[in-house]
Amino acid sequence: MADVRVRFSPAPTGFLHVGGARTALFNWLFARGAGGEFFLRIEDTDVARSRQEWIDGIQSTLTWLGLGWDGPLVLQSTRFDRYLAAADQLLASGHAYECFCTEEEVKERSDAAVRAGRPPGYDGRCRALGDDERAALRTAGKPRSVRFRTPDEGSSTFADVVRGEVAVEWSTVRDFVIVRSNHTPVFFLANAVDDADMGITHVIRGEDLIDSTHRVLAIRAALGVEGRPVYAHLPLLVGEDRGKLSKRHGAVALEDFRERGYLAAALLNYLALLGWSPDDDREVMTLDEVVAAFALERVTHSPAFFDYQKLDWINGEHIRRLDLPDLVAAVLPFARARYGARLDVAVFEAAVALAQERASTLVQIADQAEFLFVDHEEFTITDDGWARLVATDGVDAILTAAATHLQGCEWSAEGVDLRPVLAALGLSKTAANKRAMPALYCAIEGRPHGLPLFDSIVLLGRDGTLRRIERARARLATTR
RNA sequence: GCCCCCAUCGUCUAGUGGCCUAGGACGCCGCCCUUUCAAGGCGGUAACGGGGAUUCGAACUCCCCUGGGGGCACCA
């Protein structure tokens, strides 16, 4: 088998979202599994819409995900001469022709056709222009684009790894522009030329591009390129409204997942499961395991919806499987952003260890540990937490008893165990768990949900814990 | 309007004629465990869009319908 060469070729007209990332991932997985190469090609032929910041963003996101590419980045904007030469070749061979219709004219006639009940698209007006007519229009200074002449009859067919045979009648495909009137090449041309020049063996992309394949293949053939790549069109990722993912339809920048505390490995794991599944029941997998199990033949046919709840679950599973030092390193940036200089690394590590078994995102871990790194004077209880605390029967007695115990007890998780204290207050186990404990959580950790209380108290320290209980009691007094 | 594609629990999916009274996972519900919550354990809820045809036998094959999606740009 010839060496596998694939590419991920986004247009730099926006941030990379889950759809693009999934396409990049499948290409990368396929290349990795086949021992082939994975290239990154930026399709920036539409100069007006392409932006350097998006090119940078795509690269940094791919890097964060760990989907590194081989060789230098290919920028189509640096290869315009090559595409234009190919267009000249097509012009010379009669596969393309000069079109003097302006964009507006084409649109007007297309709209009129629709109103008249005919199909939209270019009507082929400049198809049969004679040499003299063409020359006249040229000297008249009419803007000129180049159109590819699609066959009048017959059909186009290609074999798709996931779709099977894909065919379309040429009579339903209008002539299309390959060079704009501003002399810049269009997607179809650049795509066909580059896939050939780069020796791309497999084209793996979204199903929204399936119809364009016939046109690219026609250009490729007209250019005299031997053979064609293997195509694999992936089912689309859809938004909540079941529409193709776009900014309007729930697309979220991949960078947001990073900021919200998702692990790249977990995101990749989940993305791999959207439109593909291994031939066994595994779901939580490392990237290496996914590479080993991946097969284009197992890609599904129907669109998939991105489920954040399942992502949260998978992320939690990955967090739980991380070695503590790695998890600490992953949470550290979030911790530094939140607690700044107050961060105590030793305490932080202990807190992360406590959070590891319960958290589903890195942000959650940082949030749960936050109470350990807040100045006692600035410590506040959330509104929810305060409401809960205030509503607890005998809360003042509970806090007082806890403080009394903590003043003299041995400073260990066993020593600070407040259960005997609550029992001595006459609280049943249920009452202690359901009512008293939440109040203590709120007073000490500032929120009703968080790290295990007794371990937290030990980490907070005797002085700090007592001050927090005292603050809660004082606030309680003024509230009454 | 025309072309193309898709169709199993709420969601992601397994399933390629009998192993399916349809399996797994997330979610949801219940119970257990328990230092609240979470995590964990156990159990439960829930689907083959409809109609024909082929066959001894259809989730799996074919046709029609319905529904959904994609494309028809001087975007990619």
Side-chain angles (χ1 to χ4, degrees), chain A residues 83-99 126-129 131 134 144-151 175-179 189 218-219 222-223:
Chain A
Y83 311 134
L84 264 16
D88 286 340
Q89 183 188 331
L90 294 173
L91 238 20
S93 64
H95 286 101
Y97 59 89
E98 294 175 294
C99 174
C126 295
R127 241 189 176 217
L129 249 32
D131 288 344
R134 234 185 283 277
R144 179 215 77 157
S145 64
V146 178
R147 271 182 199 280
F148 187 82
R149 187 191 303 274
T150 62
D175 293 347
F176 56 94
V177 170
I178 55 175
V179 178
L189 215 212
I219 291 175
L223 249 17

Side-chain angles (χ1 to χ4, degrees), chain A residues 61 451 459 470:
Chain A
T61 300
L451 267 20
L459 288 175
E470 197 39 55

Side-chain angles (χ1 to χ4, degrees), chain A residues 176-244:
Chain A
F176 56 94
V177 170
I178 55 175
V179 178
R180 300 183 183 87
S181 53
N182 67 0
H183 311 296
T184 60
V186 173
F187 163 74
F188 303 103
L189 215 212
N191 195 270
V193 169
D194 279 346
D195 281 349
D197 285 359
M198 292 169 72
I200 297 303
T201 59
H202 300 255
V203 175
I204 304 166
R205 30 129 80 145
E207 201 203 341
D208 51 337
L209 260 24
I210 200 162
D211 288 320
S212 74
T213 306
H214 298 99
R215 283 171 277 181
V216 169
L217 248 18
I219 291 175
R220 192 180 168 104
L223 249 17
V225 179
E226 298 273 322
R228 33 167 82 174
V230 171
Y231 284 88
H233 286 93
L234 277 16
L236 257 23
L237 253 32
V238 298
E240 281 168 289
D241 58 359
R242 286 266 145 196
K244 174 181 169 182

Side-chain angles (χ1 to χ4, degrees), chain A residues 53-274:
Chain A
E53 64 174 287
W54 297 129
I55 296 178
D56 296 339
I58 289 164
Q59 294 184 83
S60 66
T61 300
L62 250 23
T63 300
W64 172 63
L65 288 171
L67 302 180
W69 56 95
D70 297 299
L73 182 76
V74 177
L75 278 180
Q76 290 192 324
S77 56
T78 65
R79 292 171 47 79
F80 280 9
D81 289 349
R82 172 76 182 94
Y83 311 134
L84 264 16
D88 286 340
Q89 183 188 331
L90 294 173
L91 238 20
S93 64
H95 286 101
Y97 59 89
E98 294 175 294
C99 174
F100 298 91
C101 301
T102 65
E103 194 176 353
E104 294 71 31
E105 288 164 357
V106 171
K107 177 136 185 21
E108 256 173 47
R109 302 204 304 263
S110 173
D111 289 348
V114 171
R115 283 194 298 275
R118 285 176 283 119
Y122 184 60
D123 56 11
R125 177 167 299 195
C126 295
R127 241 189 176 217
L129 249 32
D131 288 344
D132 44 345
E133 292 174 287
R134 234 185 283 277
L137 285 161
R138 225 173 349 224
T139 47
K142 274 284 259 179
R144 179 215 77 157
S145 64
V146 178
R147 271 182 199 280
F148 187 82
R149 187 191 303 274
T150 62
D152 296 325
E153 51 190 30
S155 60
S156 167
T157 307
F158 68 91
D160 190 287
V161 178
V162 344
R163 303 278 147 187
E165 289 282 311
V166 179
V168 71
E169 291 296 321
W170 276 121
S171 61
T172 65
V173 184
R174 322 300 288 249
D175 293 347
F176 56 94
V177 170
I178 55 175
V179 178
R180 300 183 183 87
S181 53
N182 67 0
H183 311 296
T184 60
V186 173
F187 163 74
F188 303 103
L189 215 212
N191 195 270
V193 169
D194 279 346
D195 281 349
D197 285 359
M198 292 169 72
I200 297 303
T201 59
H202 300 255
V203 175
I204 304 166
R205 30 129 80 145
E207 201 203 341
D208 51 337
L209 260 24
I210 200 162
D211 288 320
S212 74
T213 306
H214 298 99
R215 283 171 277 181
V216 169
L217 248 18
I219 291 175
R220 192 180 168 104
L223 249 17
V225 179
E226 298 273 322
R228 33 167 82 174
V230 171
Y231 284 88
H233 286 93
L234 277 16
L236 257 23
L237 253 32
V238 298
E240 281 168 289
D241 58 359
R242 286 266 145 196
K244 174 181 169 182
L245 219 50
S246 66
K247 268 173 248 180
R248 180 89 184 99
H249 295 284
V252 174
L254 249 287
E255 286 295 313
D256 285 355
F257 289 94
R258 180 185 193 172
E259 284 162 23
R260 283 192 275 160
Y262 292 93
L263 260 11
L267 196 50
L268 255 17
N269 184 175
Y270 180 59
L271 247 19
L273 260 19
L274 251 28

